[in-house]
Amino acid sequence: MQTLVLVILFCAVFYLIFKDKVDRFLGVLYGASATILFGSWYDFFNASQVYQSISFETLFLMFGMMLYSDAMAQTGFFKGCAFSMARLAKNDPWLILVLFSCVTFLLSMFINNLTTIVIILPITIVMCAGLGMRPIPVVVSEVIASNLGGASSMVGDFPNMLIASSTSLVFMDFITSLFPACLMGMGILFAIIYLRKEPLMLEKPLPNLGEGDKKELLGINDPIKLDRKTNSGIFIFFLMVGLFIYSEDIEVRPSVVAVLGGLLTLAVVATRKQEVLRNLNYKDIAFFFFLFIMVGGIQASGLLNHVSYMIWMVSDGHNYAQAILTMIASGVLTIFLNAGPATSLFIPIAGDFTHYADHGYIWWALSLGVCAGSSAAITGATSGTIASNYLSEYAKKMGLEGKEEFKDYNLDFHEFMKVGLPFMGFFLLFSAIYLIRYLYV
């Protein structure tokens, strides 16, 4: 009964979030409160277990990387990188799509992929409007590239931060194991977009751009400004990466490196410190805080042990089959739950396969599966929803609502899946082949 009630509660909360009936932070807040009350009443989830279910390592790692990203964004360095790609593209639509996706991939490896999308998206849309390009193919490519970039390193996205905080894996483990697969994923993405032969140019050019958009386009010709603050931010970045790489040798947790690096960047680099602190996405941190409690309650009820046992039974105890089943199941679940919640649910399941989890096999399968699922649909990653909303708002600002041209800015569930779903299928197939290498490790 305990398990059934918590499963119903979890499904109800995420159904309401999926349908946009409730804010996702409030949804998990109410869900965590109900989990604690129910667990205490039936004496299977006490205060000590609630505390142990919260991964403070993950929360501090998120906080530190958010702080660094937001503070460094004020220097204009990330935007300058995007403008450099725009100059290289020389008004070639296909080259613009490829280069902007590549810079999104690279930035997402080391700064939060949501921050990357927020920085790249306005430049992309204004540039597309100025050149008469359809923004949807470029934006979809950037969203999937941000997922791939984030999945390539330990600090690029929330799922990998969750995995890092739950295991003994270090920074270079993620780079050496996931970066090659995700780089190949970029090739798969470009091949799918190219083979679809979708037009990249608008049938009708947009009306005159607003003054703000014209100023944004003029900024494309500005070189990257490497002033004292920008150089300090770049130095702190390389210092953090070095400490991440050697964190195990010097016995410093990645969360400590992230928080100290973030605070140092805030103190030395940020020009508007209060703005950074005010705009920091505390709701994301709080969301995971309460999500950990919900997952902890489900784990205490014994459900996740049953799921891992079922996977073990279906796979007949074969390590490779367990990894593939975990990868596919986490990918499908991510489409509906979003990347963070799906990873949180699967970490205890993957951790049960202790006979090979220590060297990373199962964790890479989980990370690649979540990356595939988050790229399949607009609901798989928060960046997809942000991109969709931004496109719609821009079209309304340009007076396109209710007109035929609005379809070129309407990035809905179906439109995203035209590229996302084939990408998920091919990426999972490639990842399954890629993971064979661990059979001989």
Side-chain angles (χ1 to χ4, degrees), residues 359-371:
H359 65 65
Y361 196 149
I362 191 69
W363 305 115
W364 310 144
L366 175 58
S367 180
L368 293 171
V370 169
C371 178

Side-chain angles (χ1 to χ4, degrees), residues 134-441:
R134 292 181 64 239
I136 286 179
V138 186
V139 170
V140 170
S141 181
E142 287 174 351
V143 169
I144 296 176
S146 77
N147 294 335
L148 288 165
S152 298
S153 78
M154 185 182 77
V155 295
D157 64 4
F158 294 150
N160 281 3
M161 291 183 196
L162 291 166
I163 291 170
S165 302
S166 305
T167 65
S168 59
L169 297 168
V170 296
F171 186 83
M172 286 307 295
D173 291 333
F174 285 85
I175 296 291
T176 55
S177 297
L178 293 175
F179 176 73
C182 292
L183 191 61
M184 190 65 194
M186 289 292 287
I188 293 170
L189 170 64
F190 294 145
I192 289 171
I193 294 172
Y194 180 78
L195 292 173
R196 290 191 73 243
K197 300 293 183 184
E198 194 169 350
L200 293 178
M201 302 303 291
L202 292 167
E203 292 178 10
K204 283 186 192 175
L206 284 181
N208 292 332
L209 299 176
E211 289 302 316
D213 292 346
K214 288 178 181 176
K215 287 180 182 177
E216 190 79 35
L217 280 175
L218 287 173
I220 289 174
N221 297 313
D222 295 338
I224 297 176
K225 295 176 182 176
L226 294 176
D227 54 18
R228 184 179 63 82
K229 286 185 178 294
T230 304
N231 289 332
S232 298
I234 294 170
F235 173 78
I236 293 169
F237 166 76
F238 283 111
L239 179 64
M240 288 170 69
V241 170
L243 290 172
F244 280 138
I245 292 171
Y246 294 105
S247 60
E248 190 175 30
D249 297 328
I250 61 177
E251 297 183 355
V252 176
R253 294 298 301 167
S255 60
V256 175
V257 175
V259 170
L260 290 178
L263 290 173
L264 185 60
T265 310
L266 178 68
V268 176
V269 177
T271 53
R272 302 179 298 281
K273 296 176 176 57
Q274 290 296 326
E275 184 180 311
V276 171
L277 294 172
R278 190 167 54 248
N279 294 338
L280 207 65
N281 202 341
Y282 299 104
K283 267 192 173 183
D284 269 344
I285 297 171
F287 170 80
F288 280 101
F289 179 89
F290 293 115
L291 176 65
F292 290 145
I293 295 174
M294 290 188 71
V295 173
I298 293 174
Q299 189 174 8
S301 73
L303 173 65
L304 300 185
N305 291 331
H306 289 306
V307 173
S308 59
Y309 178 71
M310 285 173 59
I311 292 175
W312 184 82
M313 287 289 290
V314 172
S315 66
D316 197 25
H318 194 282
N319 291 354
Y320 179 73
Q322 289 167 359
I324 299 305
L325 286 171
T326 299
M327 182 174 69
I328 294 171
S330 62
V332 172
L333 196 63
T334 298
I335 295 175
F336 304 101
L337 290 189
N338 199 280
T343 308
S344 296
L345 263 182
F346 267 89
I347 281 175
I349 296 169
D352 275 348
F353 304 128
T354 53
H355 53 286
Y356 70 100
D358 286 343
H359 65 65
Y361 196 149
I362 191 69
W363 305 115
W364 310 144
L366 175 58
S367 180
L368 293 171
V370 169
C371 178
S374 63
S375 303
I378 206 166
T379 51
T382 309
S383 54
T385 308
I386 289 173
S388 174
N389 292 339
Y390 194 95
L391 274 169
S392 295
E393 289 302 315
Y394 185 82
K396 289 173 185 174
K397 186 182 82 172
M398 296 297 290
L400 300 179
E401 192 173 16
K403 296 181 180 178
E404 186 184 352
E405 292 90 340
F406 186 76
K407 72 179 187 302
D408 292 312
Y409 289 82
N410 184 28
L411 180 56
D412 57 15
F413 192 83
H414 179 258
E415 189 68 32
F416 192 98
M417 288 186 80
K418 287 179 182 177
V419 173
L421 205 56
F423 172 81
M424 177 183 179
F426 284 110
F427 187 65
L428 285 176
L429 178 62
F430 166 76
S431 298
I433 298 169
Y434 177 78
L435 290 173
I436 293 175
R437 65 187 283 220
Y438 290 101
L439 291 175
Y440 305 101
V441 174

Side-chain angles (χ1 to χ4, degrees), residues 101-124:
S101 298
C102 287
V103 78
T104 302
F105 175 88
L106 292 171
L107 289 177
S108 296
M109 285 183 65
F110 301 106
I111 66 172
N112 184 284
N113 56 358
L114 283 180
T115 304
T116 305
I117 284 296
V118 169
I119 292 167
I120 295 290
L121 202 59
I123 302 169
T124 301

Side-chain angles (χ1 to χ4, degrees), residues 92-104:
D92 183 323
W94 177 247
L95 205 51
I96 286 171
L97 184 148
V98 170
L99 290 177
F100 268 67
S101 298
C102 287
V103 78
T104 302

